[in-house]
Amino acid sequence: MTDSDPTQRTDRTDRIDAPAGGERTTESARSPVGTGRTGDGRAVRPRRVEGDSEDDVAFRCRYCGDPFVEERHLALHRGLNHANDLTETEREAYRDAYADEEADLKRFRLVSLGALVVLYFGFLFVYAVVT
């Protein structure tokens, strides 16, 4: 992923009301549910995710209320969807999460390429023996 353009994604239109009740969050300055805004000023409501319970959701976006299980996913979400609203600490968290994601993708690509090469030569040798 080399595209570092922090523009808003337009595929986030499936938002519905979040469940009522005490939502667990690690953010101290979280805005009330349903009052988040996108980078272009549109108000958005939090989206309910299947399995969205107290035990499953550890992190919640303070801008739009989207739930995340891992902190790095929250940091990536903020950097991609709320780039204009981030504090310097959140920007640094996004940069770190982005770099980690880049390294994971690079490793995945290398492992996938290796598996395809082994599979290709495996079929080639089987074909050579059978014919």
Side-chain angles (χ1 to χ4, degrees):
M1 185 190 302
T2 59
D3 183 20
S4 61
D5 181 26
T7 57
Q8 295 292 324
R9 292 183 1 198
T10 57
D11 61 342
R12 305 297 290 236
T13 58
D14 57 343
R15 300 182 191 287
I16 59 174
D17 287 326
E23 297 165 343
R24 186 171 43 161
T25 181
T26 59
E27 303 174 27
S28 58
R30 193 176 140 239
S31 61
V33 174
T35 62
R37 298 215 174 259
T38 62
D40 58 0
R42 291 182 296 122
V44 293
R45 294 178 303 182
R47 174 176 49 144
R48 182 179 169 91
V49 177
E50 191 167 323
D52 185 10
S53 69
E54 272 303 303
D55 298 332
D56 296 339
V57 177
F59 305 97
R60 201 169 278 283
C61 179
R62 70 180 168 138
Y63 301 108
C64 65
D66 280 358
F68 297 94
V69 177
E70 293 186 26
E71 188 173 13
R72 72 182 185 131
H73 295 158
L74 174 61
L76 288 169
H77 163 78
R78 283 182 184 154
L80 293 173
N81 295 324
H82 310 292
N84 298 333
D85 302 325
L86 297 181
T87 64
E88 190 55 41
T89 305
E90 291 172 337
R91 287 181 208 278
E92 188 62 34
Y94 168 69
R95 288 184 197 115
D96 292 342
Y98 187 86
D100 291 344
E101 190 77 11
E102 238 349 270
D104 290 347
L105 284 172
K106 187 173 186 177
R107 183 179 182 281
F108 172 76
R109 289 177 188 135
L110 287 172
V111 169
S112 298
L113 178 63
L116 286 174
V117 167
V118 167
L119 187 65
Y120 173 77
F121 281 106
F123 281 128
L124 185 65
F125 289 140
V126 168
Y127 178 76
V129 169
V130 171
T131 58

PDB file of all heavy atoms in Angstrom, residues 96-114:
ATOM      1  N   ASP A  96       2.653   4.988  12.712  1.00  0.00           N
ATOM      2  CA  ASP A  96       3.196   3.726  13.216  1.00  0.00           C
ATOM      3  C   ASP A  96       2.364   2.539  12.748  1.00  0.00           C
ATOM      4  O   ASP A  96       2.910   1.522  12.308  1.00  0.00           O
ATOM      5  CB  ASP A  96       3.262   3.744  14.741  1.00  0.00           C
ATOM      6  CG  ASP A  96       4.279   4.726  15.283  1.00  0.00           C
ATOM      7  OD1 ASP A  96       5.175   5.156  14.505  1.00  0.00           O
ATOM      8  OD2 ASP A  96       4.185   5.082  16.477  1.00  0.00           O
ATOM      9  N   ALA A  97       1.044   2.659  12.845  1.00  0.00           N
ATOM     10  CA  ALA A  97       0.160   1.567  12.411  1.00  0.00           C
ATOM     11  C   ALA A  97       0.285   1.334  10.911  1.00  0.00           C
ATOM     12  O   ALA A  97       0.275   0.191  10.446  1.00  0.00           O
ATOM     13  CB  ALA A  97      -1.291   1.880  12.778  1.00  0.00           C
ATOM     14  N   TYR A  98       0.430   2.414  10.145  1.00  0.00           N
ATOM     15  CA  TYR A  98       0.585   2.302   8.697  1.00  0.00           C
ATOM     16  C   TYR A  98       1.887   1.581   8.349  1.00  0.00           C
ATOM     17  O   TYR A  98       1.920   0.705   7.481  1.00  0.00           O
ATOM     18  CB  TYR A  98       0.557   3.696   8.072  1.00  0.00           C
ATOM     19  CG  TYR A  98       0.536   3.686   6.561  1.00  0.00           C
ATOM     20  CD1 TYR A  98      -0.655   3.585   5.869  1.00  0.00           C
ATOM     21  CD2 TYR A  98       1.714   3.778   5.824  1.00  0.00           C
ATOM     22  CE1 TYR A  98      -0.692   3.581   4.493  1.00  0.00           C
ATOM     23  CE2 TYR A  98       1.693   3.763   4.447  1.00  0.00           C
ATOM     24  CZ  TYR A  98       0.491   3.668   3.785  1.00  0.00           C
ATOM     25  OH  TYR A  98       0.477   3.652   2.421  1.00  0.00           O
ATOM     26  N   ALA A  99       2.966   1.930   9.047  1.00  0.00           N
ATOM     27  CA  ALA A  99       4.259   1.285   8.802  1.00  0.00           C
ATOM     28  C   ALA A  99       4.196  -0.197   9.163  1.00  0.00           C
ATOM     29  O   ALA A  99       4.726  -1.047   8.424  1.00  0.00           O
ATOM     30  CB  ALA A  99       5.357   1.985   9.595  1.00  0.00           C
ATOM     31  N   ASP A 100       3.541  -0.526  10.281  1.00  0.00           N
ATOM     32  CA  ASP A 100       3.395  -1.933  10.663  1.00  0.00           C
ATOM     33  C   ASP A 100       2.561  -2.698   9.638  1.00  0.00           C
ATOM     34  O   ASP A 100       2.873  -3.837   9.287  1.00  0.00           O
ATOM     35  CB  ASP A 100       2.729  -2.050  12.037  1.00  0.00           C
ATOM     36  CG  ASP A 100       3.636  -1.566  13.160  1.00  0.00           C
ATOM     37  OD1 ASP A 100       4.856  -1.434  12.934  1.00  0.00           O
ATOM     38  OD2 ASP A 100       3.100  -1.306  14.258  1.00  0.00           O
ATOM     39  N   GLU A 101       1.494  -2.071   9.165  1.00  0.00           N
ATOM     40  CA  GLU A 101       0.638  -2.699   8.159  1.00  0.00           C
ATOM     41  C   GLU A 101       1.407  -2.924   6.851  1.00  0.00           C
ATOM     42  O   GLU A 101       1.268  -3.955   6.199  1.00  0.00           O
ATOM     43  CB  GLU A 101      -0.595  -1.826   7.914  1.00  0.00           C
ATOM     44  CG  GLU A 101      -1.651  -2.472   7.072  1.00  0.00           C
ATOM     45  CD  GLU A 101      -2.471  -3.499   7.832  1.00  0.00           C
ATOM     46  OE1 GLU A 101      -2.368  -3.575   9.058  1.00  0.00           O
ATOM     47  OE2 GLU A 101      -3.222  -4.227   7.165  1.00  0.00           O
ATOM     48  N   GLU A 102       2.221  -1.951   6.473  1.00  0.00           N
ATOM     49  CA  GLU A 102       3.061  -2.069   5.275  1.00  0.00           C
ATOM     50  C   GLU A 102       4.004  -3.258   5.396  1.00  0.00           C
ATOM     51  O   GLU A 102       4.172  -4.035   4.448  1.00  0.00           O
ATOM     52  CB  GLU A 102       3.887  -0.799   5.140  1.00  0.00           C
ATOM     53  CG  GLU A 102       3.837   0.083   3.947  1.00  0.00           C
ATOM     54  CD  GLU A 102       3.158  -0.349   2.707  1.00  0.00           C
ATOM     55  OE1 GLU A 102       3.824  -0.961   1.855  1.00  0.00           O
ATOM     56  OE2 GLU A 102       2.008  -0.014   2.530  1.00  0.00           O
ATOM     57  N   ALA A 103       4.643  -3.406   6.568  1.00  0.00           N
ATOM     58  CA  ALA A 103       5.570  -4.525   6.789  1.00  0.00           C
ATOM     59  C   ALA A 103       4.833  -5.858   6.740  1.00  0.00           C
ATOM     60  O   ALA A 103       5.330  -6.827   6.145  1.00  0.00           O
ATOM     61  CB  ALA A 103       6.274  -4.348   8.130  1.00  0.00           C
ATOM     62  N   ASP A 104       3.641  -5.911   7.344  1.00  0.00           N
ATOM     63  CA  ASP A 104       2.850  -7.149   7.303  1.00  0.00           C
ATOM     64  C   ASP A 104       2.451  -7.508   5.877  1.00  0.00           C
ATOM     65  O   ASP A 104       2.499  -8.678   5.479  1.00  0.00           O
ATOM     66  CB  ASP A 104       1.594  -7.009   8.162  1.00  0.00           C
ATOM     67  CG  ASP A 104       1.889  -6.971   9.652  1.00  0.00           C
ATOM     68  OD1 ASP A 104       3.030  -7.305  10.043  1.00  0.00           O
ATOM     69  OD2 ASP A 104       0.977  -6.592  10.415  1.00  0.00           O
ATOM     70  N   LEU A 105       2.055  -6.516   5.093  1.00  0.00           N
ATOM     71  CA  LEU A 105       1.672  -6.772   3.703  1.00  0.00           C
ATOM     72  C   LEU A 105       2.859  -7.226   2.865  1.00  0.00           C
ATOM     73  O   LEU A 105       2.733  -8.116   2.019  1.00  0.00           O
ATOM     74  CB  LEU A 105       1.045  -5.522   3.081  1.00  0.00           C
ATOM     75  CG  LEU A 105      -0.385  -5.231   3.509  1.00  0.00           C
ATOM     76  CD1 LEU A 105      -0.825  -3.875   2.981  1.00  0.00           C
ATOM     77  CD2 LEU A 105      -1.322  -6.316   3.039  1.00  0.00           C
ATOM     78  N   LYS A 106       4.011  -6.635   3.107  1.00  0.00           N
ATOM     79  CA  LYS A 106       5.213  -7.031   2.363  1.00  0.00           C
ATOM     80  C   LYS A 106       5.566  -8.490   2.662  1.00  0.00           C
ATOM     81  O   LYS A 106       5.860  -9.261   1.745  1.00  0.00           O
ATOM     82  CB  LYS A 106       6.374  -6.120   2.735  1.00  0.00           C
ATOM     83  CG  LYS A 106       7.595  -6.338   1.912  1.00  0.00           C
ATOM     84  CD  LYS A 106       8.656  -5.291   2.221  1.00  0.00           C
ATOM     85  CE  LYS A 106       9.829  -5.445   1.285  1.00  0.00           C
ATOM     86  NZ  LYS A 106      10.833  -4.413   1.505  1.00  0.00           N
ATOM     87  N   ARG A 107       5.503  -8.861   3.932  1.00  0.00           N
ATOM     88  CA  ARG A 107       5.782 -10.248   4.309  1.00  0.00           C
ATOM     89  C   ARG A 107       4.750 -11.182   3.685  1.00  0.00           C
ATOM     90  O   ARG A 107       5.103 -12.251   3.159  1.00  0.00           O
ATOM     91  CB  ARG A 107       5.768 -10.392   5.821  1.00  0.00           C
ATOM     92  CG  ARG A 107       6.114 -11.792   6.279  1.00  0.00           C
ATOM     93  CD  ARG A 107       6.110 -11.902   7.805  1.00  0.00           C
ATOM     94  NE  ARG A 107       6.493 -13.212   8.233  1.00  0.00           N
ATOM     95  CZ  ARG A 107       5.706 -14.284   8.236  1.00  0.00           C
ATOM     96  NH1 ARG A 107       4.472 -14.185   7.798  1.00  0.00           N
ATOM     97  NH2 ARG A 107       6.138 -15.453   8.658  1.00  0.00           N
ATOM     98  N   PHE A 108       3.485 -10.818   3.715  1.00  0.00           N
ATOM     99  CA  PHE A 108       2.437 -11.645   3.118  1.00  0.00           C
ATOM    100  C   PHE A 108       2.685 -11.848   1.623  1.00  0.00           C
ATOM    101  O   PHE A 108       2.535 -12.953   1.099  1.00  0.00           O
ATOM    102  CB  PHE A 108       1.064 -11.004   3.345  1.00  0.00           C
ATOM    103  CG  PHE A 108      -0.043 -11.692   2.609  1.00  0.00           C
ATOM    104  CD1 PHE A 108      -0.546 -12.896   3.053  1.00  0.00           C
ATOM    105  CD2 PHE A 108      -0.574 -11.138   1.454  1.00  0.00           C
ATOM    106  CE1 PHE A 108      -1.564 -13.543   2.368  1.00  0.00           C
ATOM    107  CE2 PHE A 108      -1.580 -11.773   0.760  1.00  0.00           C
ATOM    108  CZ  PHE A 108      -2.079 -12.978   1.219  1.00  0.00           C
ATOM    109  N   ARG A 109       3.063 -10.780   0.931  1.00  0.00           N
ATOM    110  CA  ARG A 109       3.321 -10.892  -0.509  1.00  0.00           C
ATOM    111  C   ARG A 109       4.478 -11.835  -0.795  1.00  0.00           C
ATOM    112  O   ARG A 109       4.416 -12.642  -1.732  1.00  0.00           O
ATOM    113  CB  ARG A 109       3.615  -9.514  -1.088  1.00  0.00           C
ATOM    114  CG  ARG A 109       2.401  -8.633  -1.150  1.00  0.00           C
ATOM    115  CD  ARG A 109       2.763  -7.254  -1.665  1.00  0.00           C
ATOM    116  NE  ARG A 109       1.624  -6.350  -1.556  1.00  0.00           N
ATOM    117  CZ  ARG A 109       1.699  -5.115  -1.101  1.00  0.00           C
ATOM    118  NH1 ARG A 109       2.858  -4.621  -0.718  1.00  0.00           N
ATOM    119  NH2 ARG A 109       0.625  -4.375  -1.038  1.00  0.00           N
ATOM    120  N   LEU A 110       5.546 -11.741  -0.002  1.00  0.00           N
ATOM    121  CA  LEU A 110       6.697 -12.624  -0.207  1.00  0.00           C
ATOM    122  C   LEU A 110       6.337 -14.084   0.073  1.00  0.00           C
ATOM    123  O   LEU A 110       6.725 -14.983  -0.690  1.00  0.00           O
ATOM    124  CB  LEU A 110       7.865 -12.191   0.674  1.00  0.00           C
ATOM    125  CG  LEU A 110       8.571 -10.915   0.243  1.00  0.00           C
ATOM    126  CD1 LEU A 110       9.582 -10.483   1.291  1.00  0.00           C
ATOM    127  CD2 LEU A 110       9.255 -11.113  -1.100  1.00  0.00           C
ATOM    128  N   VAL A 111       5.614 -14.328   1.147  1.00  0.00           N
ATOM    129  CA  VAL A 111       5.205 -15.696   1.474  1.00  0.00           C
ATOM    130  C   VAL A 111       4.268 -16.239   0.399  1.00  0.00           C
ATOM    131  O   VAL A 111       4.391 -17.397  -0.025  1.00  0.00           O
ATOM    132  CB  VAL A 111       4.552 -15.751   2.870  1.00  0.00           C
ATOM    133  CG1 VAL A 111       3.873 -17.083   3.121  1.00  0.00           C
ATOM    134  CG2 VAL A 111       5.583 -15.465   3.957  1.00  0.00           C
ATOM    135  N   SER A 112       3.348 -15.409  -0.080  1.00  0.00           N
ATOM    136  CA  SER A 112       2.425 -15.839  -1.140  1.00  0.00           C
ATOM    137  C   SER A 112       3.168 -16.160  -2.426  1.00  0.00           C
ATOM    138  O   SER A 112       2.877 -17.163  -3.086  1.00  0.00           O
ATOM    139  CB  SER A 112       1.379 -14.760  -1.414  1.00  0.00           C
ATOM    140  OG  SER A 112       0.603 -14.536  -0.284  1.00  0.00           O
ATOM    141  N   LEU A 113       4.113 -15.315  -2.774  1.00  0.00           N
ATOM    142  CA  LEU A 113       4.912 -15.571  -3.982  1.00  0.00           C
ATOM    143  C   LEU A 113       5.691 -16.872  -3.845  1.00  0.00           C
ATOM    144  O   LEU A 113       5.729 -17.679  -4.777  1.00  0.00           O
ATOM    145  CB  LEU A 113       5.864 -14.404  -4.245  1.00  0.00           C
ATOM    146  CG  LEU A 113       6.783 -14.568  -5.449  1.00  0.00           C
ATOM    147  CD1 LEU A 113       5.973 -14.648  -6.740  1.00  0.00           C
ATOM    148  CD2 LEU A 113       7.778 -13.423  -5.504  1.00  0.00           C
ATOM    149  N   GLY A 114       6.305 -17.090  -2.679  1.00  0.00           N
ATOM    150  CA  GLY A 114       7.036 -18.338  -2.448  1.00  0.00           C
ATOM    151  C   GLY A 114       6.130 -19.553  -2.558  1.00  0.00           C
ATOM    152  O   GLY A 114       6.498 -20.566  -3.154  1.00  0.00           O
TER     153      GLY A 114
END
